[in-house]
mmCIF file of all heavy atoms in Angstrom:
data_model
loop_
_atom_site.group_PDB
_atom_site.id
_atom_site.type_symbol
_atom_site.label_atom_id
_atom_site.label_comp_id
_atom_site.label_asym_id
_atom_site.label_seq_id
_atom_site.Cartn_x
_atom_site.Cartn_y
_atom_site.Cartn_z
ATOM 1 N N ILE A 19 -9.819 40.020 -21.300
ATOM 2 C CA ILE A 19 -8.359 40.106 -21.213
ATOM 3 C C ILE A 19 -7.907 39.608 -19.839
ATOM 4 O O ILE A 19 -6.935 38.858 -19.724
ATOM 5 C CB ILE A 19 -7.870 41.555 -21.470
ATOM 6 C CG1 ILE A 19 -8.080 41.901 -22.948
ATOM 7 C CG2 ILE A 19 -6.399 41.711 -21.083
ATOM 8 C CD1 ILE A 19 -7.769 43.327 -23.303
ATOM 9 N N ALA A 20 -8.637 39.996 -18.799
ATOM 10 C CA ALA A 20 -8.309 39.542 -17.445
ATOM 11 C C ALA A 20 -8.408 38.014 -17.372
ATOM 12 O O ALA A 20 -7.549 37.358 -16.764
ATOM 13 C CB ALA A 20 -9.250 40.195 -16.431
ATOM 14 N N TRP A 21 -9.446 37.470 -18.015
ATOM 15 C CA TRP A 21 -9.610 36.018 -18.024
ATOM 16 C C TRP A 21 -8.439 35.349 -18.755
ATOM 17 O O TRP A 21 -7.904 34.335 -18.299
ATOM 18 C CB TRP A 21 -10.938 35.652 -18.684
ATOM 19 C CG TRP A 21 -11.178 34.173 -18.748
ATOM 20 C CD1 TRP A 21 -11.630 33.365 -17.752
ATOM 21 C CD2 TRP A 21 -10.935 33.319 -19.876
ATOM 22 N NE1 TRP A 21 -11.698 32.065 -18.191
ATOM 23 C CE2 TRP A 21 -11.273 32.005 -19.495
ATOM 24 C CE3 TRP A 21 -10.469 33.536 -21.170
ATOM 25 C CZ2 TRP A 21 -11.169 30.924 -20.348
ATOM 26 C CZ3 TRP A 21 -10.372 32.452 -22.025
ATOM 27 C CH2 TRP A 21 -10.715 31.168 -21.617
ATOM 28 N N LEU A 22 -8.031 35.925 -19.890
ATOM 29 C CA LEU A 22 -6.907 35.373 -20.640
ATOM 30 C C LEU A 22 -5.619 35.399 -19.812
ATOM 31 O O LEU A 22 -4.859 34.430 -19.786
ATOM 32 C CB LEU A 22 -6.689 36.159 -21.935
ATOM 33 C CG LEU A 22 -7.676 35.887 -23.057
ATOM 34 C CD1 LEU A 22 -7.461 36.872 -24.205
ATOM 35 C CD2 LEU A 22 -7.545 34.463 -23.551
ATOM 36 N N ILE A 23 -5.404 36.512 -19.112
ATOM 37 C CA ILE A 23 -4.221 36.621 -18.254
ATOM 38 C C ILE A 23 -4.280 35.579 -17.142
ATOM 39 O O ILE A 23 -3.286 34.915 -16.837
ATOM 40 C CB ILE A 23 -4.098 38.056 -17.685
ATOM 41 C CG1 ILE A 23 -3.757 39.027 -18.818
ATOM 42 C CG2 ILE A 23 -3.055 38.117 -16.568
ATOM 43 C CD1 ILE A 23 -3.837 40.484 -18.429
ATOM 44 N N GLU A 24 -5.454 35.440 -16.549
ATOM 45 C CA GLU A 24 -5.643 34.448 -15.484
ATOM 46 C C GLU A 24 -5.348 33.033 -15.990
ATOM 47 O O GLU A 24 -4.678 32.243 -15.328
ATOM 48 C CB GLU A 24 -7.074 34.539 -14.966
ATOM 49 C CG GLU A 24 -7.393 33.597 -13.835
ATOM 50 C CD GLU A 24 -8.851 33.742 -13.412
ATOM 51 O OE1 GLU A 24 -9.259 34.844 -13.021
ATOM 52 O OE2 GLU A 24 -9.559 32.721 -13.493
ATOM 53 N N GLN A 25 -5.841 32.737 -17.187
ATOM 54 C CA GLN A 25 -5.595 31.421 -17.777
ATOM 55 C C GLN A 25 -4.114 31.214 -18.076
ATOM 56 O O GLN A 25 -3.573 30.119 -17.863
ATOM 57 C CB GLN A 25 -6.422 31.237 -19.058
ATOM 58 C CG GLN A 25 -7.911 31.203 -18.829
ATOM 59 C CD GLN A 25 -8.316 30.117 -17.858
ATOM 60 O OE1 GLN A 25 -7.959 28.961 -18.001
ATOM 61 N NE2 GLN A 25 -9.064 30.495 -16.827
ATOM 62 N N ALA A 26 -3.448 32.240 -18.551
ATOM 63 C CA ALA A 26 -2.012 32.146 -18.842
ATOM 64 C C ALA A 26 -1.231 31.912 -17.551
ATOM 65 O O ALA A 26 -0.316 31.074 -17.509
ATOM 66 C CB ALA A 26 -1.526 33.406 -19.539
ATOM 67 N N GLU A 27 -1.591 32.656 -16.498
ATOM 68 C CA GLU A 27 -0.919 32.477 -15.210
ATOM 69 C C GLU A 27 -1.165 31.069 -14.665
ATOM 70 O O GLU A 27 -0.254 30.431 -14.132
ATOM 71 C CB GLU A 27 -1.389 33.533 -14.211
ATOM 72 C CG GLU A 27 -0.884 34.928 -14.537
ATOM 73 C CD GLU A 27 -1.512 36.015 -13.668
ATOM 74 O OE1 GLU A 27 -2.554 35.757 -13.023
ATOM 75 O OE2 GLU A 27 -0.956 37.124 -13.637
ATOM 76 N N LEU A 28 -2.388 30.601 -14.810
ATOM 77 C CA LEU A 28 -2.719 29.258 -14.369
ATOM 78 C C LEU A 28 -1.905 28.222 -15.140
ATOM 79 O O LEU A 28 -1.388 27.257 -14.564
ATOM 80 C CB LEU A 28 -4.221 28.995 -14.541
ATOM 81 C CG LEU A 28 -4.733 27.632 -14.115
ATOM 82 C CD1 LEU A 28 -4.478 27.397 -12.632
ATOM 83 C CD2 LEU A 28 -6.210 27.516 -14.430
ATOM 84 N N SER A 29 -1.778 28.440 -16.430
ATOM 85 C CA SER A 29 -1.004 27.526 -17.268
ATOM 86 C C SER A 29 0.462 27.501 -16.831
ATOM 87 O O SER A 29 1.078 26.425 -16.767
ATOM 88 C CB SER A 29 -1.109 27.951 -18.726
ATOM 89 O OG SER A 29 -0.317 27.138 -19.545
ATOM 90 N N VAL A 30 1.009 28.660 -16.514
ATOM 91 C CA VAL A 30 2.398 28.735 -16.048
ATOM 92 C C VAL A 30 2.544 27.975 -14.726
ATOM 93 O O VAL A 30 3.492 27.203 -14.540
ATOM 94 C CB VAL A 30 2.855 30.202 -15.897
ATOM 95 C CG1 VAL A 30 4.168 30.300 -15.145
ATOM 96 C CG2 VAL A 30 2.971 30.869 -17.258
ATOM 97 N N LYS A 31 1.600 28.181 -13.810
ATOM 98 C CA LYS A 31 1.649 27.473 -12.524
ATOM 99 C C LYS A 31 1.549 25.958 -12.731
ATOM 100 O O LYS A 31 2.269 25.188 -12.090
ATOM 101 C CB LYS A 31 0.518 27.949 -11.604
ATOM 102 C CG LYS A 31 0.740 29.325 -11.034
ATOM 103 C CD LYS A 31 -0.416 29.739 -10.146
ATOM 104 C CE LYS A 31 -0.234 31.163 -9.658
ATOM 105 N NZ LYS A 31 -1.374 31.607 -8.843
ATOM 106 N N GLN A 32 0.663 25.539 -13.622
ATOM 107 C CA GLN A 32 0.515 24.115 -13.900
ATOM 108 C C GLN A 32 1.809 23.545 -14.479
ATOM 109 O O GLN A 32 2.229 22.444 -14.123
ATOM 110 C CB GLN A 32 -0.647 23.868 -14.850
ATOM 111 C CG GLN A 32 -2.004 24.072 -14.209
ATOM 112 C CD GLN A 32 -3.134 23.988 -15.208
ATOM 113 O OE1 GLN A 32 -2.952 24.178 -16.411
ATOM 114 N NE2 GLN A 32 -4.337 23.710 -14.707
ATOM 115 N N GLN A 33 2.436 24.303 -15.378
ATOM 116 C CA GLN A 33 3.697 23.853 -15.969
ATOM 117 C C GLN A 33 4.781 23.743 -14.900
ATOM 118 O O GLN A 33 5.564 22.784 -14.900
ATOM 119 C CB GLN A 33 4.147 24.810 -17.077
ATOM 120 C CG GLN A 33 5.303 24.280 -17.899
ATOM 121 C CD GLN A 33 4.978 22.975 -18.600
ATOM 122 O OE1 GLN A 33 3.887 22.775 -19.103
ATOM 123 N NE2 GLN A 33 5.945 22.072 -18.647
ATOM 124 N N GLU A 34 4.819 24.698 -13.970
ATOM 125 C CA GLU A 34 5.791 24.638 -12.876
ATOM 126 C C GLU A 34 5.548 23.400 -12.010
ATOM 127 O O GLU A 34 6.497 22.728 -11.603
ATOM 128 C CB GLU A 34 5.717 25.905 -12.015
ATOM 129 C CG GLU A 34 6.266 27.139 -12.704
ATOM 130 C CD GLU A 34 5.988 28.425 -11.934
ATOM 131 O OE1 GLU A 34 5.258 28.391 -10.911
ATOM 132 O OE2 GLU A 34 6.517 29.468 -12.356
ATOM 133 N N ILE A 35 4.290 23.104 -11.735
ATOM 134 C CA ILE A 35 3.944 21.922 -10.944
ATOM 135 C C ILE A 35 4.371 20.651 -11.682
ATOM 136 O O ILE A 35 4.936 19.731 -11.083
ATOM 137 C CB ILE A 35 2.431 21.900 -10.615
ATOM 138 C CG1 ILE A 35 2.101 23.016 -9.625
ATOM 139 C CG2 ILE A 35 2.005 20.540 -10.082
ATOM 140 C CD1 ILE A 35 0.609 23.256 -9.432
ATOM 141 N N ILE A 36 4.111 20.606 -12.984
ATOM 142 C CA ILE A 36 4.513 19.449 -13.792
ATOM 143 C C ILE A 36 6.020 19.273 -13.752
ATOM 144 O O ILE A 36 6.530 18.158 -13.570
ATOM 145 C CB ILE A 36 4.001 19.592 -15.247
ATOM 146 C CG1 ILE A 36 2.481 19.434 -15.276
ATOM 147 C CG2 ILE A 36 4.687 18.593 -16.174
ATOM 148 C CD1 ILE A 36 1.842 19.825 -16.587
ATOM 149 N N GLU A 37 6.754 20.371 -13.906
ATOM 150 C CA GLU A 37 8.220 20.310 -13.868
ATOM 151 C C GLU A 37 8.711 19.815 -12.505
ATOM 152 O O GLU A 37 9.622 18.993 -12.423
ATOM 153 C CB GLU A 37 8.829 21.681 -14.184
ATOM 154 C CG GLU A 37 8.604 22.153 -15.608
ATOM 155 C CD GLU A 37 9.279 21.271 -16.642
ATOM 156 O OE1 GLU A 37 10.385 20.753 -16.363
ATOM 157 O OE2 GLU A 37 8.692 21.075 -17.728
ATOM 158 N N GLU A 38 8.110 20.317 -11.436
ATOM 159 C CA GLU A 38 8.495 19.891 -10.085
ATOM 160 C C GLU A 38 8.180 18.410 -9.883
ATOM 161 O O GLU A 38 8.983 17.670 -9.304
ATOM 162 C CB GLU A 38 7.783 20.739 -9.029
ATOM 163 C CG GLU A 38 8.083 20.343 -7.603
ATOM 164 C CD GLU A 38 9.547 20.449 -7.205
ATOM 165 O OE1 GLU A 38 10.328 21.152 -7.872
ATOM 166 O OE2 GLU A 38 9.930 19.798 -6.208
ATOM 167 N N ASN A 39 7.034 17.969 -10.381
ATOM 168 C CA ASN A 39 6.675 16.549 -10.271
ATOM 169 C C ASN A 39 7.665 15.671 -11.032
ATOM 170 O O ASN A 39 8.051 14.607 -10.559
ATOM 171 C CB ASN A 39 5.252 16.308 -10.759
ATOM 172 C CG ASN A 39 4.212 16.815 -9.786
ATOM 173 O OD1 ASN A 39 4.504 17.073 -8.630
ATOM 174 N ND2 ASN A 39 2.992 16.964 -10.256
ATOM 175 N N LYS A 40 8.075 16.133 -12.218
ATOM 176 C CA LYS A 40 9.066 15.390 -12.999
ATOM 177 C C LYS A 40 10.385 15.312 -12.235
ATOM 178 O O LYS A 40 11.025 14.258 -12.183
ATOM 179 C CB LYS A 40 9.299 16.052 -14.355
ATOM 180 C CG LYS A 40 8.205 15.807 -15.356
ATOM 181 C CD LYS A 40 8.546 16.491 -16.678
ATOM 182 C CE LYS A 40 7.442 16.338 -17.688
ATOM 183 N NZ LYS A 40 7.768 17.048 -18.943
ATOM 184 N N ARG A 41 10.789 16.439 -11.634
ATOM 185 C CA ARG A 41 12.036 16.473 -10.883
ATOM 186 C C ARG A 41 11.962 15.505 -9.694
ATOM 187 O O ARG A 41 12.889 14.731 -9.448
ATOM 188 C CB ARG A 41 12.338 17.889 -10.388
ATOM 189 C CG ARG A 41 13.720 18.045 -9.771
ATOM 190 C CD ARG A 41 13.883 19.358 -9.038
ATOM 191 N NE ARG A 41 13.059 19.435 -7.850
ATOM 192 C CZ ARG A 41 13.311 18.811 -6.710
ATOM 193 N NH1 ARG A 41 14.357 18.035 -6.593
ATOM 194 N NH2 ARG A 41 12.507 18.932 -5.677
ATOM 195 N N GLN A 42 10.846 15.546 -8.982
ATOM 196 C CA GLN A 42 10.673 14.647 -7.835
ATOM 197 C C GLN A 42 10.661 13.186 -8.282
ATOM 198 O O GLN A 42 11.197 12.315 -7.593
ATOM 199 C CB GLN A 42 9.397 14.985 -7.074
ATOM 200 C CG GLN A 42 9.492 16.288 -6.305
ATOM 201 C CD GLN A 42 8.192 16.646 -5.592
ATOM 202 O OE1 GLN A 42 7.225 15.896 -5.631
ATOM 203 N NE2 GLN A 42 8.180 17.793 -4.948
ATOM 204 N N GLN A 43 10.054 12.931 -9.427
ATOM 205 C CA GLN A 43 10.024 11.566 -9.950
ATOM 206 C C GLN A 43 11.443 11.100 -10.279
ATOM 207 O O GLN A 43 11.818 9.960 -9.979
ATOM 208 C CB GLN A 43 9.143 11.498 -11.194
ATOM 209 C CG GLN A 43 8.988 10.106 -11.752
ATOM 210 C CD GLN A 43 8.066 10.066 -12.964
ATOM 211 O OE1 GLN A 43 7.783 11.087 -13.579
ATOM 212 N NE2 GLN A 43 7.624 8.881 -13.324
#
Side-chain angles (χ1 to χ4, degrees):
I19 290 174
W21 179 80
L22 284 172
I23 291 170
E24 182 181 301
Q25 294 303 308
E27 289 172 344
L28 180 61
S29 177
V30 168
K31 287 180 184 177
Q32 288 173 338
Q33 190 60 40
E34 289 171 354
I35 291 169
I36 290 168
E37 293 296 325
E38 178 61 19
N39 286 343
K40 284 181 183 178
R41 188 192 68 75
Q42 289 178 3
Q43 184 178 17

